[in-house]
mmCIF file of all heavy atoms in Angstrom:
data_model
loop_
_atom_site.group_PDB
_atom_site.id
_atom_site.type_symbol
_atom_site.label_atom_id
_atom_site.label_comp_id
_atom_site.label_asym_id
_atom_site.label_seq_id
_atom_site.Cartn_x
_atom_site.Cartn_y
_atom_site.Cartn_z
ATOM 1 N N VAL A 23 43.399 -34.665 1.031
ATOM 2 C CA VAL A 23 42.269 -35.347 0.441
ATOM 3 C C VAL A 23 41.126 -34.285 0.198
ATOM 4 O O VAL A 23 40.793 -33.544 1.243
ATOM 5 C CB VAL A 23 41.781 -36.417 1.327
ATOM 6 C CG1 VAL A 23 40.464 -37.077 0.759
ATOM 7 C CG2 VAL A 23 42.836 -37.569 1.490
ATOM 8 N N GLU A 24 40.753 -34.210 -0.996
ATOM 9 C CA GLU A 24 39.648 -33.264 -1.320
ATOM 10 C C GLU A 24 38.602 -34.046 -1.919
ATOM 11 O O GLU A 24 38.901 -34.981 -2.763
ATOM 12 C CB GLU A 24 40.130 -32.159 -2.162
ATOM 13 C CG GLU A 24 41.092 -31.145 -1.489
ATOM 14 C CD GLU A 24 41.573 -30.119 -2.430
ATOM 15 O OE1 GLU A 24 41.957 -30.406 -3.480
ATOM 16 O OE2 GLU A 24 41.630 -28.944 -1.977
ATOM 17 N N GLY A 25 37.305 -33.766 -1.710
ATOM 18 C CA GLY A 25 36.202 -34.529 -2.412
ATOM 19 C C GLY A 25 35.766 -35.710 -1.642
ATOM 20 O O GLY A 25 35.492 -35.688 -0.448
ATOM 21 N N ASP A 26 35.764 -36.861 -2.339
ATOM 22 C CA ASP A 26 35.237 -38.171 -1.750
ATOM 23 C C ASP A 26 36.209 -38.750 -0.747
ATOM 24 O O ASP A 26 37.098 -39.437 -1.169
ATOM 25 C CB ASP A 26 34.927 -39.035 -2.890
ATOM 26 C CG ASP A 26 34.141 -40.251 -2.461
ATOM 27 O OD1 ASP A 26 33.961 -40.525 -1.295
ATOM 28 O OD2 ASP A 26 33.775 -41.048 -3.384
ATOM 29 N N LEU A 27 35.977 -38.593 0.507
ATOM 30 C CA LEU A 27 36.891 -39.118 1.530
ATOM 31 C C LEU A 27 36.931 -40.687 1.500
ATOM 32 O O LEU A 27 37.962 -41.272 1.592
ATOM 33 C CB LEU A 27 36.445 -38.616 2.951
ATOM 34 C CG LEU A 27 37.184 -39.112 4.113
ATOM 35 C CD1 LEU A 27 38.620 -38.804 4.060
ATOM 36 C CD2 LEU A 27 36.563 -38.743 5.404
ATOM 37 N N GLU A 28 35.742 -41.256 1.414
ATOM 38 C CA GLU A 28 35.711 -42.757 1.344
ATOM 39 C C GLU A 28 36.540 -43.305 0.238
ATOM 40 O O GLU A 28 37.433 -44.251 0.439
ATOM 41 C CB GLU A 28 34.266 -43.314 1.265
ATOM 42 C CG GLU A 28 34.198 -44.788 1.266
ATOM 43 C CD GLU A 28 32.798 -45.295 1.235
ATOM 44 O OE1 GLU A 28 31.846 -44.506 1.099
ATOM 45 O OE2 GLU A 28 32.696 -46.499 1.535
ATOM 46 N N ARG A 29 36.335 -42.792 -0.973
ATOM 47 C CA ARG A 29 37.169 -43.306 -2.135
ATOM 48 C C ARG A 29 38.612 -43.072 -1.921
ATOM 49 O O ARG A 29 39.499 -43.980 -2.178
ATOM 50 C CB ARG A 29 36.619 -42.555 -3.384
ATOM 51 C CG ARG A 29 37.358 -42.949 -4.636
ATOM 52 C CD ARG A 29 36.799 -42.328 -5.823
ATOM 53 N NE ARG A 29 37.649 -42.438 -6.932
ATOM 54 C CZ ARG A 29 38.003 -41.552 -7.762
ATOM 55 N NH1 ARG A 29 37.371 -40.336 -7.712
ATOM 56 N NH2 ARG A 29 38.781 -41.696 -8.752
ATOM 57 N N ALA A 30 38.957 -41.881 -1.465
ATOM 58 C CA ALA A 30 40.434 -41.562 -1.321
ATOM 59 C C ALA A 30 41.042 -42.515 -0.285
ATOM 60 O O ALA A 30 42.235 -42.935 -0.481
ATOM 61 C CB ALA A 30 40.600 -40.107 -0.836
ATOM 62 N N ILE A 31 40.420 -42.878 0.829
ATOM 63 C CA ILE A 31 40.939 -43.766 1.789
ATOM 64 C C ILE A 31 40.967 -45.153 1.332
ATOM 65 O O ILE A 31 41.983 -45.841 1.560
ATOM 66 C CB ILE A 31 40.188 -43.496 3.244
ATOM 67 C CG1 ILE A 31 40.253 -42.150 3.690
ATOM 68 C CG2 ILE A 31 40.727 -44.568 4.197
ATOM 69 C CD1 ILE A 31 41.688 -41.633 3.976
ATOM 70 N N ARG A 32 39.964 -45.573 0.612
ATOM 71 C CA ARG A 32 39.997 -46.898 0.034
ATOM 72 C C ARG A 32 41.185 -47.124 -0.906
ATOM 73 O O ARG A 32 41.854 -48.061 -0.863
ATOM 74 C CB ARG A 32 38.639 -47.234 -0.563
ATOM 75 C CG ARG A 32 37.584 -47.487 0.416
ATOM 76 C CD ARG A 32 36.328 -48.112 -0.106
ATOM 77 N NE ARG A 32 35.270 -48.148 0.787
ATOM 78 C CZ ARG A 32 35.120 -49.144 1.784
ATOM 79 N NH1 ARG A 32 36.079 -49.999 1.924
ATOM 80 N NH2 ARG A 32 34.080 -49.134 2.545
ATOM 81 N N GLU A 33 41.452 -46.051 -1.703
ATOM 82 C CA GLU A 33 42.594 -46.078 -2.684
ATOM 83 C C GLU A 33 43.932 -46.186 -1.869
ATOM 84 O O GLU A 33 44.735 -46.915 -2.241
ATOM 85 C CB GLU A 33 42.536 -44.894 -3.522
ATOM 86 C CG GLU A 33 41.471 -44.966 -4.562
ATOM 87 C CD GLU A 33 41.448 -43.670 -5.385
ATOM 88 O OE1 GLU A 33 42.139 -42.734 -5.165
ATOM 89 O OE2 GLU A 33 40.539 -43.624 -6.304
ATOM 90 N N LEU A 34 43.996 -45.346 -0.851
ATOM 91 C CA LEU A 34 45.214 -45.382 0.006
ATOM 92 C C LEU A 34 45.396 -46.689 0.638
ATOM 93 O O LEU A 34 46.553 -47.191 0.647
ATOM 94 C CB LEU A 34 45.064 -44.240 1.062
ATOM 95 C CG LEU A 34 46.266 -44.006 1.937
ATOM 96 C CD1 LEU A 34 47.434 -43.485 1.193
ATOM 97 C CD2 LEU A 34 45.905 -43.047 3.048
ATOM 98 N N LYS A 35 44.373 -47.330 1.205
ATOM 99 C CA LYS A 35 44.511 -48.617 1.774
ATOM 100 C C LYS A 35 44.963 -49.691 0.742
ATOM 101 O O LYS A 35 45.801 -50.587 1.010
ATOM 102 C CB LYS A 35 43.189 -49.018 2.562
ATOM 103 C CG LYS A 35 42.987 -48.201 3.760
ATOM 104 C CD LYS A 35 41.616 -48.552 4.430
ATOM 105 C CE LYS A 35 41.788 -49.955 5.186
ATOM 106 N NZ LYS A 35 40.600 -50.192 5.975
ATOM 107 N N ALA A 36 44.473 -49.525 -0.490
ATOM 108 C CA ALA A 36 44.795 -50.520 -1.520
ATOM 109 C C ALA A 36 46.246 -50.315 -1.911
ATOM 110 O O ALA A 36 46.904 -51.350 -2.352
ATOM 111 C CB ALA A 36 43.791 -50.371 -2.663
ATOM 112 N N GLU A 37 46.754 -49.160 -1.962
ATOM 113 C CA GLU A 37 48.095 -48.792 -2.327
ATOM 114 C C GLU A 37 49.137 -49.280 -1.420
ATOM 115 O O GLU A 37 50.227 -49.509 -1.753
ATOM 116 C CB GLU A 37 48.290 -47.357 -2.572
ATOM 117 C CG GLU A 37 47.559 -46.734 -3.745
ATOM 118 C CD GLU A 37 47.606 -45.210 -3.693
ATOM 119 O OE1 GLU A 37 48.274 -44.674 -2.930
ATOM 120 O OE2 GLU A 37 46.907 -44.579 -4.580
ATOM 121 N N ARG A 38 48.808 -49.304 -0.100
ATOM 122 C CA ARG A 38 49.774 -49.461 0.944
ATOM 123 C C ARG A 38 49.693 -50.831 1.563
ATOM 124 O O ARG A 38 48.577 -51.356 1.787
ATOM 125 C CB ARG A 38 49.707 -48.421 2.021
ATOM 126 C CG ARG A 38 49.726 -47.057 1.484
ATOM 127 C CD ARG A 38 51.117 -46.604 1.330
ATOM 128 N NE ARG A 38 51.172 -45.127 1.088
ATOM 129 C CZ ARG A 38 51.685 -44.730 -0.105
ATOM 130 N NH1 ARG A 38 51.908 -45.444 -1.102
ATOM 131 N NH2 ARG A 38 51.677 -43.382 -0.332
ATOM 132 N N ASP A 39 50.867 -51.425 1.982
ATOM 133 C CA ASP A 39 50.775 -52.541 2.866
ATOM 134 C C ASP A 39 51.090 -51.977 4.315
ATOM 135 O O ASP A 39 51.836 -51.053 4.364
ATOM 136 C CB ASP A 39 51.976 -53.531 2.464
ATOM 137 C CG ASP A 39 51.579 -54.344 1.170
ATOM 138 O OD1 ASP A 39 50.428 -54.456 0.946
ATOM 139 O OD2 ASP A 39 52.482 -54.686 0.462
ATOM 140 N N GLY A 40 50.550 -52.667 5.232
ATOM 141 C CA GLY A 40 50.928 -52.183 6.671
ATOM 142 C C GLY A 40 49.881 -51.338 7.130
ATOM 143 O O GLY A 40 48.674 -51.349 6.740
ATOM 144 N N GLU A 41 50.192 -50.510 8.123
ATOM 145 C CA GLU A 41 49.264 -49.738 8.878
ATOM 146 C C GLU A 41 49.216 -48.275 8.404
ATOM 147 O O GLU A 41 50.279 -47.757 7.990
ATOM 148 C CB GLU A 41 49.695 -49.699 10.376
ATOM 149 C CG GLU A 41 49.680 -51.156 10.968
ATOM 150 C CD GLU A 41 50.175 -51.050 12.405
ATOM 151 O OE1 GLU A 41 50.637 -50.060 12.922
ATOM 152 O OE2 GLU A 41 50.083 -52.101 13.031
ATOM 153 N N ILE A 42 48.076 -47.704 8.546
ATOM 154 C CA ILE A 42 47.837 -46.260 8.230
ATOM 155 C C ILE A 42 47.369 -45.703 9.574
ATOM 156 O O ILE A 42 46.295 -46.135 10.032
ATOM 157 C CB ILE A 42 46.814 -46.125 7.100
ATOM 158 C CG1 ILE A 42 47.352 -46.720 5.795
ATOM 159 C CG2 ILE A 42 46.555 -44.582 6.932
ATOM 160 C CD1 ILE A 42 46.247 -46.762 4.712
ATOM 161 N N GLU A 43 48.018 -44.700 10.073
ATOM 162 C CA GLU A 43 47.657 -44.055 11.354
ATOM 163 C C GLU A 43 46.784 -42.826 11.004
ATOM 164 O O GLU A 43 46.969 -42.136 10.070
ATOM 165 C CB GLU A 43 48.832 -43.693 12.117
ATOM 166 C CG GLU A 43 49.719 -44.883 12.639
ATOM 167 C CD GLU A 43 50.896 -44.347 13.395
ATOM 168 O OE1 GLU A 43 50.919 -43.226 13.888
ATOM 169 O OE2 GLU A 43 51.764 -45.210 13.562
ATOM 170 N N VAL A 44 45.767 -42.677 11.893
ATOM 171 C CA VAL A 44 44.852 -41.567 11.772
ATOM 172 C C VAL A 44 44.910 -40.843 13.143
ATOM 173 O O VAL A 44 44.891 -41.535 14.132
ATOM 174 C CB VAL A 44 43.439 -42.084 11.580
ATOM 175 C CG1 VAL A 44 42.428 -40.974 11.532
ATOM 176 C CG2 VAL A 44 43.274 -42.826 10.198
ATOM 177 N N ALA A 45 44.983 -39.593 13.054
ATOM 178 C CA ALA A 45 45.025 -38.769 14.342
ATOM 179 C C ALA A 45 43.884 -37.708 14.244
ATOM 180 O O ALA A 45 43.541 -37.231 13.176
ATOM 181 C CB ALA A 45 46.311 -38.031 14.343
ATOM 182 N N GLY A 46 43.276 -37.490 15.406
ATOM 183 C CA GLY A 46 42.290 -36.522 15.460
ATOM 184 C C GLY A 46 40.893 -37.159 15.567
ATOM 185 O O GLY A 46 40.553 -38.096 14.826
ATOM 186 N N PRO A 47 40.109 -36.666 16.514
ATOM 187 C CA PRO A 47 38.737 -37.295 16.683
ATOM 188 C C PRO A 47 37.773 -37.045 15.549
ATOM 189 O O PRO A 47 37.056 -37.898 15.236
ATOM 190 C CB PRO A 47 38.276 -36.588 17.957
ATOM 191 C CG PRO A 47 38.996 -35.333 18.042
ATOM 192 C CD PRO A 47 40.385 -35.553 17.361
ATOM 193 N N ASN A 48 37.879 -35.914 14.820
ATOM 194 C CA ASN A 48 36.976 -35.737 13.732
ATOM 195 C C ASN A 48 37.199 -36.616 12.554
ATOM 196 O O ASN A 48 36.257 -37.207 12.025
ATOM 197 C CB ASN A 48 37.004 -34.271 13.311
ATOM 198 C CG ASN A 48 36.586 -33.265 14.342
ATOM 199 O OD1 ASN A 48 35.703 -33.620 15.196
ATOM 200 N ND2 ASN A 48 37.058 -32.071 14.300
ATOM 201 N N LEU A 49 38.461 -36.863 12.142
ATOM 202 C CA LEU A 49 38.793 -37.743 11.127
ATOM 203 C C LEU A 49 38.542 -39.149 11.450
ATOM 204 O O LEU A 49 37.926 -39.959 10.676
ATOM 205 C CB LEU A 49 40.232 -37.552 10.718
ATOM 206 C CG LEU A 49 40.787 -38.530 9.529
ATOM 207 C CD1 LEU A 49 39.856 -38.289 8.316
ATOM 208 C CD2 LEU A 49 42.182 -38.209 9.223
ATOM 209 N N ALA A 50 38.822 -39.529 12.651
ATOM 210 C CA ALA A 50 38.559 -40.833 13.190
ATOM 211 C C ALA A 50 37.114 -41.208 13.166
ATOM 212 O O ALA A 50 36.656 -42.246 12.765
ATOM 213 C CB ALA A 50 39.164 -41.060 14.600
ATOM 214 N N HIS A 51 36.337 -40.226 13.582
ATOM 215 C CA HIS A 51 34.892 -40.388 13.544
ATOM 216 C C HIS A 51 34.262 -40.572 12.128
ATOM 217 O O HIS A 51 33.490 -41.425 11.872
ATOM 218 C CB HIS A 51 34.178 -39.173 14.263
ATOM 219 C CG HIS A 51 32.684 -39.227 14.190
ATOM 220 N ND1 HIS A 51 31.952 -40.110 14.937
ATOM 221 C CD2 HIS A 51 31.755 -38.603 13.398
ATOM 222 C CE1 HIS A 51 30.615 -39.897 14.676
ATOM 223 N NE2 HIS A 51 30.468 -39.025 13.716
ATOM 224 N N SER A 52 34.735 -39.733 11.237
ATOM 225 C CA SER A 52 34.353 -39.827 9.833
ATOM 226 C C SER A 52 34.681 -41.162 9.242
ATOM 227 O O SER A 52 33.885 -41.843 8.620
ATOM 228 C CB SER A 52 34.965 -38.702 8.953
ATOM 229 O OG SER A 52 34.640 -37.454 9.342
ATOM 230 N N LEU A 53 35.892 -41.702 9.526
ATOM 231 C CA LEU A 53 36.369 -42.915 8.940
ATOM 232 C C LEU A 53 35.564 -44.161 9.612
ATOM 233 O O LEU A 53 35.312 -45.099 9.005
ATOM 234 C CB LEU A 53 37.803 -43.091 9.122
ATOM 235 C CG LEU A 53 38.654 -42.194 8.328
ATOM 236 C CD1 LEU A 53 40.155 -42.349 8.554
ATOM 237 C CD2 LEU A 53 38.380 -42.193 6.821
ATOM 238 N N THR A 54 35.218 -43.979 10.887
ATOM 239 C CA THR A 54 34.466 -44.908 11.582
ATOM 240 C C THR A 54 33.061 -45.014 10.986
ATOM 241 O O THR A 54 32.584 -46.133 10.717
ATOM 242 C CB THR A 54 34.264 -44.619 13.092
ATOM 243 O OG1 THR A 54 35.628 -44.633 13.664
ATOM 244 C CG2 THR A 54 33.357 -45.615 13.844
ATOM 245 N N GLU A 55 32.443 -43.869 10.676
ATOM 246 C CA GLU A 55 31.137 -43.819 10.039
ATOM 247 C C GLU A 55 31.154 -44.599 8.670
ATOM 248 O O GLU A 55 30.140 -45.155 8.277
ATOM 249 C CB GLU A 55 30.644 -42.405 9.944
ATOM 250 C CG GLU A 55 30.390 -41.716 11.225
ATOM 251 C CD GLU A 55 29.028 -42.024 11.713
ATOM 252 O OE1 GLU A 55 28.004 -41.887 11.019
ATOM 253 O OE2 GLU A 55 28.964 -42.365 12.933
ATOM 254 N N LEU A 56 32.311 -44.544 7.982
ATOM 255 C CA LEU A 56 32.406 -45.138 6.671
ATOM 256 C C LEU A 56 32.818 -46.510 6.747
ATOM 257 O O LEU A 56 33.018 -47.190 5.707
ATOM 258 C CB LEU A 56 33.476 -44.305 5.815
ATOM 259 C CG LEU A 56 33.029 -42.897 5.415
ATOM 260 C CD1 LEU A 56 34.196 -42.067 4.850
ATOM 261 C CD2 LEU A 56 31.813 -42.914 4.547
ATOM 262 N N GLY A 57 33.063 -47.022 7.933
ATOM 263 C CA GLY A 57 33.485 -48.436 8.151
ATOM 264 C C GLY A 57 34.905 -48.697 7.687
ATOM 265 O O GLY A 57 35.260 -49.799 7.287
ATOM 266 N N LEU A 58 35.786 -47.764 7.715
ATOM 267 C CA LEU A 58 37.151 -47.801 7.270
ATOM 268 C C LEU A 58 38.191 -48.000 8.410
ATOM 269 O O LEU A 58 39.359 -48.040 8.004
ATOM 270 C CB LEU A 58 37.517 -46.586 6.400
ATOM 271 C CG LEU A 58 36.680 -46.455 5.166
ATOM 272 C CD1 LEU A 58 36.973 -45.098 4.472
ATOM 273 C CD2 LEU A 58 37.040 -47.588 4.206
ATOM 274 N N ILE A 59 37.834 -48.125 9.636
ATOM 275 C CA ILE A 59 38.823 -48.330 10.702
ATOM 276 C C ILE A 59 38.797 -49.788 11.059
ATOM 277 O O ILE A 59 37.777 -50.412 11.369
ATOM 278 C CB ILE A 59 38.426 -47.593 12.020
ATOM 279 C CG1 ILE A 59 38.250 -45.990 11.692
ATOM 280 C CG2 ILE A 59 39.292 -47.755 13.140
ATOM 281 C CD1 ILE A 59 39.548 -45.308 11.473
ATOM 282 N N ASP A 60 40.017 -50.327 10.902
ATOM 283 C CA ASP A 60 40.173 -51.870 11.235
ATOM 284 C C ASP A 60 40.535 -52.108 12.636
ATOM 285 O O ASP A 60 40.194 -53.091 13.146
ATOM 286 C CB ASP A 60 41.269 -52.370 10.313
ATOM 287 C CG ASP A 60 40.954 -52.324 8.874
ATOM 288 O OD1 ASP A 60 39.735 -52.421 8.520
ATOM 289 O OD2 ASP A 60 41.783 -51.967 8.090
ATOM 290 N N GLU A 61 41.175 -51.156 13.320
ATOM 291 C CA GLU A 61 41.659 -51.410 14.675
ATOM 292 C C GLU A 61 41.839 -49.961 15.412
ATOM 293 O O GLU A 61 42.203 -49.027 14.811
ATOM 294 C CB GLU A 61 43.125 -52.024 14.678
ATOM 295 C CG GLU A 61 43.661 -52.307 15.952
ATOM 296 C CD GLU A 61 45.049 -52.978 15.799
ATOM 297 O OE1 GLU A 61 45.250 -53.797 14.834
ATOM 298 O OE2 GLU A 61 45.945 -52.755 16.660
ATOM 299 N N TYR A 62 41.399 -50.011 16.608
ATOM 300 C CA TYR A 62 41.532 -48.864 17.447
ATOM 301 C C TYR A 62 42.737 -48.976 18.442
ATOM 302 O O TYR A 62 42.827 -50.110 19.052
ATOM 303 C CB TYR A 62 40.304 -48.540 18.220
ATOM 304 C CG TYR A 62 39.137 -48.077 17.430
ATOM 305 C CD1 TYR A 62 38.206 -49.049 16.920
ATOM 306 C CD2 TYR A 62 38.976 -46.901 16.966
ATOM 307 C CE1 TYR A 62 37.150 -48.752 16.085
ATOM 308 C CE2 TYR A 62 37.944 -46.414 16.142
ATOM 309 C CZ TYR A 62 37.069 -47.428 15.738
ATOM 310 O OH TYR A 62 35.999 -47.068 14.935
ATOM 311 N N ARG A 63 43.568 -48.000 18.587
ATOM 312 C CA ARG A 63 44.588 -48.016 19.678
ATOM 313 C C ARG A 63 44.390 -46.670 20.393
ATOM 314 O O ARG A 63 44.573 -45.618 19.772
ATOM 315 C CB ARG A 63 45.971 -48.094 19.072
ATOM 316 C CG ARG A 63 46.204 -49.467 18.352
ATOM 317 C CD ARG A 63 47.610 -49.476 17.897
ATOM 318 N NE ARG A 63 47.776 -50.739 17.080
ATOM 319 C CZ ARG A 63 48.803 -50.879 16.254
ATOM 320 N NH1 ARG A 63 49.804 -49.982 16.284
ATOM 321 N NH2 ARG A 63 48.966 -51.948 15.512
ATOM 322 N N ILE A 64 44.202 -46.770 21.684
ATOM 323 C CA ILE A 64 44.016 -45.605 22.485
ATOM 324 C C ILE A 64 45.379 -45.340 23.201
ATOM 325 O O ILE A 64 45.860 -46.178 23.928
ATOM 326 C CB ILE A 64 42.877 -45.721 23.484
ATOM 327 C CG1 ILE A 64 41.573 -46.145 22.731
ATOM 328 C CG2 ILE A 64 42.732 -44.355 24.320
ATOM 329 C CD1 ILE A 64 41.030 -45.131 21.771
ATOM 330 N N TYR A 65 45.858 -44.117 23.031
ATOM 331 C CA TYR A 65 47.166 -43.741 23.756
ATOM 332 C C TYR A 65 46.711 -42.633 24.835
ATOM 333 O O TYR A 65 46.155 -41.611 24.417
ATOM 334 C CB TYR A 65 48.194 -43.099 22.712
ATOM 335 C CG TYR A 65 48.650 -44.191 21.861
ATOM 336 C CD1 TYR A 65 48.148 -44.386 20.540
ATOM 337 C CD2 TYR A 65 49.666 -45.097 22.285
ATOM 338 C CE1 TYR A 65 48.642 -45.323 19.705
ATOM 339 C CE2 TYR A 65 50.194 -45.985 21.457
ATOM 340 C CZ TYR A 65 49.601 -46.187 20.175
ATOM 341 O OH TYR A 65 50.067 -47.198 19.316
ATOM 342 N N LEU A 66 47.042 -42.830 25.959
ATOM 343 C CA LEU A 66 46.763 -41.904 27.065
ATOM 344 C C LEU A 66 48.191 -41.340 27.515
ATOM 345 O O LEU A 66 49.093 -42.046 27.713
ATOM 346 C CB LEU A 66 46.058 -42.546 28.245
ATOM 347 C CG LEU A 66 44.710 -43.128 27.911
ATOM 348 C CD1 LEU A 66 44.206 -43.865 29.243
ATOM 349 C CD2 LEU A 66 43.757 -42.184 27.452
ATOM 350 N N HIS A 67 48.144 -40.076 27.703
ATOM 351 C CA HIS A 67 49.369 -39.335 28.141
ATOM 352 C C HIS A 67 49.025 -38.658 29.465
ATOM 353 O O HIS A 67 48.568 -37.473 29.454
ATOM 354 C CB HIS A 67 49.816 -38.358 27.113
ATOM 355 C CG HIS A 67 50.237 -38.958 25.910
ATOM 356 N ND1 HIS A 67 51.440 -39.644 25.679
ATOM 357 C CD2 HIS A 67 49.505 -39.168 24.692
ATOM 358 C CE1 HIS A 67 51.446 -40.060 24.480
ATOM 359 N NE2 HIS A 67 50.270 -39.747 23.842
ATOM 360 N N PRO A 68 49.024 -39.353 30.619
ATOM 361 C CA PRO A 68 48.767 -38.752 31.794
ATOM 362 C C PRO A 68 49.662 -37.599 32.240
ATOM 363 O O PRO A 68 50.891 -37.742 31.844
ATOM 364 C CB PRO A 68 48.754 -39.978 32.901
ATOM 365 C CG PRO A 68 49.530 -41.035 32.170
ATOM 366 C CD PRO A 68 49.495 -40.692 30.751
ATOM 367 N N SER A 69 49.153 -36.547 32.894
ATOM 368 C CA SER A 69 49.917 -35.568 33.374
ATOM 369 C C SER A 69 49.549 -35.231 34.748
ATOM 370 O O SER A 69 48.379 -35.514 35.168
ATOM 371 C CB SER A 69 49.841 -34.290 32.490
ATOM 372 O OG SER A 69 48.570 -33.920 32.331
ATOM 373 N N CYS A 70 50.445 -34.578 35.474
ATOM 374 C CA CYS A 70 50.173 -34.122 36.823
ATOM 375 C C CYS A 70 50.584 -32.760 37.024
ATOM 376 O O CYS A 70 51.775 -32.381 36.711
ATOM 377 C CB CYS A 70 50.918 -35.053 37.740
ATOM 378 S SG CYS A 70 50.603 -34.640 39.515
#
């Protein structure tokens, strides 16, 4: 995606049925700011 992130993600959501996964805190933050995140799922991978 280059240019207008909001437009690109709205187009992607309109084209697809089902879920679109987002990885990475920076992208997730940007999409949150644009109001494009419908659901959050937090995955923890504990290690010892």
Side-chain angles (χ1 to χ4, degrees):
V23 174
E24 297 177 312
D26 187 353
L27 176 63
E28 181 176 8
R29 181 174 163 224
I31 300 303
R32 288 194 187 280
E33 288 174 1
L34 183 64
K35 288 177 78 169
E37 292 171 6
R38 305 275 187 249
D39 288 330
E41 299 177 354
I42 299 171
E43 294 183 15
V44 174
N48 294 334
L49 180 56
H51 176 76
S52 296
L53 297 179
T54 298
E55 293 278 310
L56 295 170
L58 295 171
I59 301 290
D60 299 322
E61 179 179 327
Y62 293 93
R63 294 182 188 170
I64 306 298
Y65 294 97
L66 300 176
H67 299 279
S69 60
C70 180

